Amino acid sequence: MSVVPMIPIQNIYYLLCYAWHRLEERDIVDVSGIDTTSLVELFAKVLIGGVERVLRRGLDRGYVGYVEDTRCLRGKILFSPTIKRNLLMKAQVHCEFDELSHNVLHNQILKSTLYHLIRVESLDRELRCRLVGLYRRFHEVDEIEMSSAVFSRVQLHRNNVFYDFLLNICELVYENLLVSETPGKNKFRDFLQDDEMRMAVLFEDFVRNFYKLETSGFKVGREDILWQAEALDDGGLAFLPKMVTDISIEGQGFKVVIDTKYYKQALTKYYDAEKIHSQNIYQIFAYLKNLEKQGGVNVNCTGVLLYPTVQKDLRLSYKMDGHKVIIHTINLNQEWQLIDKDLRDLLETARPDRNSMNARPDGLAFPG
């Protein structure tokens, strides 16, 4: 069951919206018409729609610090360089001042990303022309040398938080741009094909935030699990690995622990027979047994191994030493409404009483 090659590009966009907690962006940028499997064209279209929205609202401005020699007093006079350079003889002073400007870091990142996307060799010509048009509207903004540190320096507040999603896209573009052999050109690395670890994080964050945002009445998040162990040597417990769930969902009288897995092949082969990855089963069982000792809803909590797939669905349920264990796949090569339904159905299946979750007309699931 190979995952990667067939995920519709629109679904990748929705995964990102959930993973980054930016559901409002789903409707602002229309990706339904994209008939390509190219990530770079998806990101180009998203940036075009997002930047056009920013320009309609007006580029954000902030105070930018300047230092210069001037005949007009501005801000603070720096006497030491003024005297050392004998500027008073020229009727000048060395001043430090702040000025309200569009040339702030988040606008510089947008402009620099537009610049680099324009130079991607494989980019659709029409999208490139639209990017060029937007790039020219940033004439008051400088380009900068992009680095990972640049994104960590951005400071947003409630009045410009709409930049956040676009900056996430910019960072993803930066991390996956490769220098081409052709001078002045770039290539884009398709992380769907090349970066299983990144996709695993994306899938986990998507599932967790889906249940956080689309259900009500449940406590959803990651959870540290304590080992129910006693060390026979001094300091021995410190050597045990940390147990942290991907997703723990707790409601009235029940608990579900979901461990998401992302592999190019969801099943492994053993003597030509398809099998579940053994280490995954051992891991979820260890979670359940160590939680069990904490009592309460943990005693009979359900464990779920959740895999993405685009071809063959898998629905398996077991009873393991008093705990229900579910092996489940989510088909990412289907309409988004069906992905939504499958995730809701999975939570119902994992609950002790499947009839106790009622669905409101708007589709949100609530406990009975």
Side-chain angles (χ1 to χ4, degrees):
M1 293 193 296
S2 180
V3 178
V4 174
M6 298 170 58
I7 302 177
I9 209 71
Q10 296 95 330
N11 287 354
I12 292 296
Y13 177 63
Y14 295 139
L15 289 178
L16 290 170
C17 287
Y18 274 100
W20 292 338
H21 219 300
R22 302 295 297 178
L23 289 193
E24 63 272 21
E25 308 296 339
R26 289 182 304 178
D27 302 320
I28 291 173
V29 180
D30 180 18
V31 296
S32 59
I34 296 181
D35 57 358
T36 178
T37 58
S38 169
L39 273 179
V40 69
E41 293 190 6
L42 167 67
F43 294 150
K45 184 164 184 178
V46 171
L47 276 179
I48 287 168
V51 170
E52 285 177 344
R53 176 187 171 216
V54 166
L55 289 170
R56 285 195 297 269
R57 295 184 59 156
L59 281 178
D60 189 41
R61 295 194 299 172
Y63 283 99
V64 178
Y66 294 92
V67 178
E68 66 176 32
D69 300 338
T70 176
R71 294 179 181 274
C72 302
L73 294 180
R74 302 184 66 182
K76 182 172 68 174
I77 300 175
L78 301 179
F79 287 101
S80 180
T82 298
I83 295 170
K84 285 181 179 179
R85 295 169 53 205
N86 207 22
L87 293 177
L88 293 175
M89 297 296 294
K90 306 174 187 177
Q92 292 181 340
V93 289
H94 194 67
C95 290
E96 181 181 67
F97 58 93
D98 294 332
E99 192 171 82
L100 200 59
S101 170
H102 291 123
N103 195 30
V104 290
L105 183 58
H106 37 289
N107 287 333
Q108 293 172 346
I109 290 174
L110 287 183
K111 181 174 183 178
S112 301
T113 303
L114 293 173
Y115 173 85
H116 290 297
L117 273 179
I118 288 166
R119 283 154 178 75
V120 173
E121 293 174 314
S122 60
L123 189 64
D124 175 78
R125 182 176 180 181
E126 181 182 346
L127 291 176
R128 179 178 284 109
C129 290
R130 293 180 68 185
L131 288 171
V132 169
L134 292 174
Y135 174 84
R136 289 172 177 165
R137 296 180 66 178
F138 282 74
H139 52 87
E140 297 181 7
V141 178
D142 296 335
E143 286 177 37
I144 59 172
E145 188 73 27
M146 299 287 276
S147 69
S148 299
V150 165
F151 294 95
S152 64
R153 298 201 332 256
V154 174
Q155 295 184 344
L156 300 179
H157 47 77
R158 64 181 182 179
N159 293 329
N160 61 9
V161 72
F162 53 87
Y163 274 83
D164 185 55
F165 183 77
L166 290 179
L167 293 178
N168 283 333
I169 294 290
C170 290
E171 187 169 13
L172 207 51
V173 169
Y174 161 73
E175 290 173 349
N176 291 280
L177 277 179
L178 303 172
V179 178
S180 170
E181 296 176 359
T182 306
K185 298 292 184 181
N186 295 321
K187 291 183 179 180
F188 191 82
R189 180 172 67 96
D190 190 344
F191 65 81
L192 293 182
Q193 302 285 346
D194 303 332
D195 197 339
E196 194 170 285
M197 184 175 294
R198 176 183 288 277
M199 287 303 299
V201 173
L202 174 60
F203 183 60
E204 177 190 329
D205 289 345
F206 152 63
V207 175
R208 184 187 307 110
N209 282 337
F210 177 89
Y211 286 123
K212 276 186 179 179
L213 298 168
E214 300 291 3
T215 63
S216 180
F218 305 126
K219 179 182 176 182
V220 181
R222 305 187 78 186
E223 178 184 9
D224 291 335
I225 301 175
L226 297 177
W227 283 95
Q228 301 300 316
E230 181 181 347
L232 302 179
D233 304 288
D234 291 341
L237 289 178
F239 289 91
L240 290 175
K242 189 174 183 179
M243 287 193 292
V244 183
T245 65
D246 291 343
I247 304 137
S248 291
I249 303 175
E250 187 173 334
Q252 187 174 3
F254 82 98
K255 186 172 187 175
V256 178
V257 174
I258 301 176
D259 205 48
T260 59
K261 302 296 180 184
Y262 191 98
Y263 301 119
K264 291 184 179 180
Q265 298 293 335
L267 294 177
T268 187
K269 286 287 185 77
Y270 185 76
Y271 289 107
D272 294 327
E274 289 187 321
K275 300 289 184 181
I276 303 163
H277 291 267
S278 58
Q279 66 270 28
N280 299 164
I281 289 287
Y282 301 152
Q283 182 180 7
I284 195 69
F285 190 67
Y287 287 175
L288 296 176
K289 295 307 291 181
N290 282 277
L291 279 170
E292 179 184 310
K293 300 297 183 181
Q294 298 180 21
V297 293
N298 298 294
V299 172
N300 296 309
C301 63
T302 299
V304 178
L305 287 175
L306 183 61
Y307 301 86
T309 184
V310 295
Q311 294 172 340
K312 180 180 177 183
D313 291 334
L314 194 65
R315 303 285 190 273
L316 300 172
S317 296
Y318 304 92
K319 195 73 171 180
M320 295 186 178
D321 201 16
H323 294 275
K324 188 176 183 179
V325 175
I326 297 171
I327 316 297
H328 196 96
T329 57
I330 291 293
N331 188 350
L332 298 180
N333 184 29
Q334 60 179 335
E335 295 290 331
W336 187 259
Q337 291 82 355
L338 296 177
I339 295 176
D340 181 291
K341 180 179 182 302
D342 284 349
L343 285 172
R344 297 177 191 276
D345 289 347
L346 171 61
L347 188 53
E348 287 196 31
T349 302
R351 294 185 58 177
D353 180 3
R354 295 185 58 182
N355 296 321
S356 63
M357 177 181 286
N358 300 314
R360 290 199 321 183
D362 62 6
L364 295 183
F366 288 83

